[in-house]
């Protein structure tokens, strides 16, 4: 399993914003820090803003992004689910496109489904605060 690039970038952008000692950071600053294209950074920042994680303020001289919620309240599994379109590990997970001749007779599907659930359950136990070395109530 590999997370999509947007998911990886979303998590990194949240970490950057949460760690910042400044009240606001710019998309350009994040783009430069992580080597992500500026336009890609802006796209992800906008989505994070729409999802309620970031506060976005436009303007060259007073604009920037800041955390809209406390890092302790941001669950990694929730963010990953919001950025990933599906978790179809193998063809047989999607009944619309499945052509596997073993479907219904194979235990691989169940094993991979359980593994995916375990992955997400593990992420559900982690908050953004855990990633940036902030103390959390559930640590």
């Amino acid at each position: 399993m590999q997370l999509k690039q947007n998911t990886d970038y979303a998590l990194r952008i949240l970490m950057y914003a949460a760690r910042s000692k400044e009240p606001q950071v710019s998309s350009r600053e994040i783009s430069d820090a992580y080597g992500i294209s500026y336009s890609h950074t802006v796209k992800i920042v906008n989505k994070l803003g729409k999802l309620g994680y970031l506060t976005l303020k436009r303007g060259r001289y007073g604009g920037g992004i800041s955390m809209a919620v406390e890092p302790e309240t941001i669950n990694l599994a929730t963010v990953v689910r919001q950025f990933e379109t599906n978790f179809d590990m193998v063809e047989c997970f999607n009944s619309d496109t499945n052509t596997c001749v073993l479907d219904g007779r194979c235990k691989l599907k169940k094993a991979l489904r359980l593994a995916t659930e375990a992955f997400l359950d593990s992420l559900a136990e982690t908050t953004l605060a855990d990633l940036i070395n902030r103390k959390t109530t559930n640590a």
Side-chain angles (χ1 to χ4, degrees):
M1 170 187 259
Q2 182 173 354
L3 294 178
K4 291 191 169 107
Q5 199 172 49
N6 281 2
T7 307
D8 176 29
Y9 291 166
L11 294 170
R12 288 200 245 170
I13 289 167
L14 287 171
M15 289 169 53
Y16 193 95
R19 277 192 189 134
S20 177
K21 292 177 180 19
E22 299 298 321
Q24 293 184 24
V25 296
S26 70
S27 294
R28 176 68 65 193
E29 181 182 337
I30 295 170
S31 170
D32 291 345
Y34 288 133
I36 304 169
S37 80
Y38 176 71
S39 61
H40 209 85
T41 302
V42 168
K43 177 181 164 185
I44 296 166
V45 162
N46 283 331
K47 182 170 181 175
L48 289 168
K50 287 178 184 172
L51 291 170
Y53 297 118
L54 299 177
T55 300
L56 312 179
K57 187 175 177 188
R58 295 179 70 97
R60 181 178 287 234
Y61 298 107
I65 65 169
S66 58
M67 295 302 299
V69 295
E70 290 299 317
E72 293 81 5
T73 67
I74 299 176
N75 180 286
L76 295 191
T78 302
V79 176
V80 168
R81 288 178 198 271
Q82 290 170 319
F83 275 83
E84 292 294 316
T85 55
N86 71 58
F87 290 94
D88 292 350
M89 298 284 290
V90 289
E91 175 187 3
C92 59
F93 276 28
N94 186 330
S95 59
D96 293 337
T97 59
N98 182 21
T99 60
C100 180
V101 297
L102 297 176
D103 194 32
R105 302 186 317 257
C106 176
K107 294 181 182 178
L108 178 61
K109 183 177 183 177
K110 181 179 179 183
L112 291 175
R113 178 111 33 227
L114 290 172
T116 301
E117 289 171 14
F119 167 73
L120 291 168
D121 288 347
S122 177
L123 285 180
E125 296 177 15
T126 307
T127 68
L128 180 61
D130 295 325
L131 301 182
I132 61 169
N133 298 322
R134 271 197 179 173
K135 292 182 180 178
T136 61
T137 56
N138 64 347

